[in-house]
């Protein structure tokens, strides 16, 4: 499950799969795909469709047992379900706390 907050009062709520490949004890490479619902205000409507797909690639650095940092690049679009398919590409730096 994931929740991405988009500027101008929008959000993407999705569920999908994630595959991690362990490089060594400290580094993890991964890929992910999800499908979800995007909501935006009428003024912003950058994605143009409610059903959106999110694909991503990431690199994670384990700091300790509970903490890690992840650099993630993704693409959100409707996958061609609508004639207009602008999409957007988020680049994120995430702090992950595991409990």
């Amino acid at each position: 499950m994931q929740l991405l907050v988009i500027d101008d009062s929008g959000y993407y709520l999705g569920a999908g799969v994630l595959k991690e490949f362990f490089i060594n004890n400290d580094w993890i490479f991964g890929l992910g795909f999800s499908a979800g619902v995007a909501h935006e205000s009428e003024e912003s409507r950058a994605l143009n469709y409610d059903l959106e797909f999110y694909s991503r690639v990431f690199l994670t650095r384990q700091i300790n047992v509970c903490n890690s940092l992840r650099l993630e690049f993704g693409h959100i679009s409707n996958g061609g379900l609508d004639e207009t398919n602008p999409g957007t590409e988020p680049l994120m730096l995430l702090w992950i706390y595991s409990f």
Side-chain angles (χ1 to χ4, degrees):
M1 296 289 299
Q2 67 188 123
L3 172 65
L4 299 177
V5 178
I6 304 166
D7 53 343
D8 293 329
S9 69
Y11 65 86
Y12 170 80
L13 179 62
V17 295
L18 189 73
K19 177 64 179 166
E20 295 180 329
F21 303 94
F22 291 87
I23 298 170
N24 58 34
N25 289 339
D26 296 330
W27 292 94
I28 302 167
F29 170 77
L31 305 167
F33 176 80
S34 62
V37 176
H39 172 76
E40 300 169 278
S41 66
E42 286 301 318
E43 296 82 35
S44 66
R45 291 300 289 170
L47 295 174
N48 269 359
Y49 205 71
D50 291 334
L51 177 61
E52 298 286 334
F53 302 98
Y54 180 56
S55 53
R56 60 187 158 175
V57 60
F58 60 86
L59 185 64
T60 304
R61 169 71 161 100
Q62 285 294 133
I63 297 170
N64 56 40
V65 177
C66 296
N67 294 285
S68 59
L69 284 175
R70 175 177 292 170
L71 181 62
E72 177 174 312
F73 178 75
H75 176 74
I76 301 173
S77 74
N78 65 36
L81 295 176
D82 191 22
E83 291 178 13
T84 305
N85 185 19
T88 187
E89 287 77 28
L91 177 63
M92 298 180 280
L93 181 62
L94 303 131
W95 169 52
I96 301 168
Y97 178 77
S98 303
F99 52 94

